[in-house]
Amino acid sequence: SVRISGAKNSALKLMAAALLAEGRTVLHNVPDIADCRTMMEVLERLGVGVERLDGSVSVDATGLLGVETPYDLVRRMRAAILVLGPILARTGRARVALPGGCNIGRRRIDLHIRGLERMGATFSFDHGYLDASAERGLEGAVVSLDFPSVGATENLLMAGVAAQGTTVIENAAREPEIEDLATFLMEMGARVDGVGTPTIEIEGVESFRPVEHTVIPDRIEAGTFAIAACATRGEVLLAGARADHLDL
């Protein structure tokens, strides 16, 4: 029997989304791995109170003071770009180092930028940093993605819930981690419909409340142990895994 850890690809996005709420959000089942520790450092640099205790992470974004994520942290982990949407939505400004942390190949963030531009944000580049501004606030828009990018869908989802009016994301990604993010945002007070389909509709709201939320199990970890059981002709109980996330 092996207990499946929380999904890293969900926990990182939930920690970023917690920036939207003033108050103390608690996330349970957060894996204690390097990427999650890096994201905690990113939040701390933004003036957020972060604490880890027994598999849970508390994020107190009451005193969100900063708008800049430094290069020394972002280069370690590409997912740090996902603070762009919530910071921009909450403060109207963001300065984010261009991401690294991926040796698979070139993975551009142009879909993130084009989508946020549709919502009224303006961007400039300065010595490896992306400066974003939306002084009048973000506005709802229809955004059609060139392909169902997970990161772009998540960034636009986190921005759209705080924008004025209705935002529609077409050709949206449909991974379980996006469903987890949407569920978390709705618990905080967001209005989201169509998650799990190619079209997500979001109605912006003015404020969010801090909540407690349990991160979904990691389907990649569960699948790895399942394949190991097949390879060894063994029998393994995947405690906490979700079969509906393993269909593919």
Side-chain angles (χ1 to χ4, degrees):
S1 174
V2 59
R3 177 155 294 280
I4 303 303
S5 305
K8 175 205 73 165
N9 286 334
S10 187
L12 294 174
K13 323 309 170 54
L14 300 176
M15 292 166 72
L19 294 171
L20 290 167
E22 290 197 23
R24 182 173 175 268
T25 292
V26 179
L27 299 171
H28 303 293
N29 200 30
V30 176
D32 187 14
I33 60 175
D35 277 2
C36 290
R37 292 192 290 270
T38 298
M39 182 61 87
M40 291 172 68
E41 288 186 64
V42 170
L43 299 183
E44 287 174 338
R45 295 282 189 97
L46 293 170
V48 174
V50 186
E51 184 179 6
R52 183 176 186 94
L53 181 64
D54 297 331
S56 298
V57 170
S58 71
V59 179
D60 189 344
T62 302
L64 177 62
L65 301 175
V67 296
E68 179 176 318
T69 59
Y71 174 74
D72 65 305
L73 294 177
V74 178
R75 70 179 176 84
R76 294 190 222 159
M77 183 189 63
R78 188 177 188 278
I81 192 66
L82 287 163
V83 300
L84 174 61
I87 293 176
L88 191 57
R90 181 165 168 185
T91 70
R93 291 181 55 237
R95 180 174 166 82
V96 180
L98 294 177
C102 179
N103 296 319
I104 299 172
R106 188 178 183 189
R107 297 166 69 187
R108 296 177 298 174
I109 59 169
D110 54 331
L111 296 184
H112 302 239
I113 295 171
R114 291 211 310 262
L116 291 168
E117 283 178 333
R118 291 275 298 172
M119 299 170 69
T122 59
F123 292 90
S124 61
F125 296 90
D126 177 39
H127 295 90
Y129 279 83
L130 179 67
D131 285 305
S133 176
E135 294 181 0
R136 299 180 182 178
L138 296 172
E139 297 181 356
V142 176
V143 180
S144 297
L145 299 178
D146 293 348
F147 64 93
S149 162
V150 174
T153 299
E154 291 165 334
N155 235 337
L156 296 172
L157 178 57
M158 288 186 283
V161 294
Q164 301 172 38
T166 303
T167 298
V168 177
I169 306 173
E170 296 179 341
N171 200 23
R174 293 178 281 174
E175 276 74 358
E177 292 80 11
I178 290 175
E179 292 191 44
D180 196 28
L181 174 60
T183 298
F184 175 67
L185 291 169
M186 287 188 283
E187 290 169 355
M188 294 170 69
R191 298 174 184 171
V192 183
D193 191 36
V195 174
T197 76
T199 303
I200 300 176
E201 187 169 319
I202 308 155
E203 192 68 36
V205 298
E206 292 184 359
S207 62
F208 301 89
R209 56 182 174 270
V211 296
E212 288 195 35
H213 181 86
T214 299
V215 180
I216 60 172
D218 193 317
R219 60 197 169 99
I220 299 174
E221 182 178 308
T224 302
F225 283 116
I227 291 169
C230 295
T232 58
R233 300 183 182 183
E235 184 174 328
V236 178
L237 175 65
L238 305 176
R242 285 184 53 169
D244 59 322
H245 290 175
L246 300 176
D247 288 346
L248 182 60

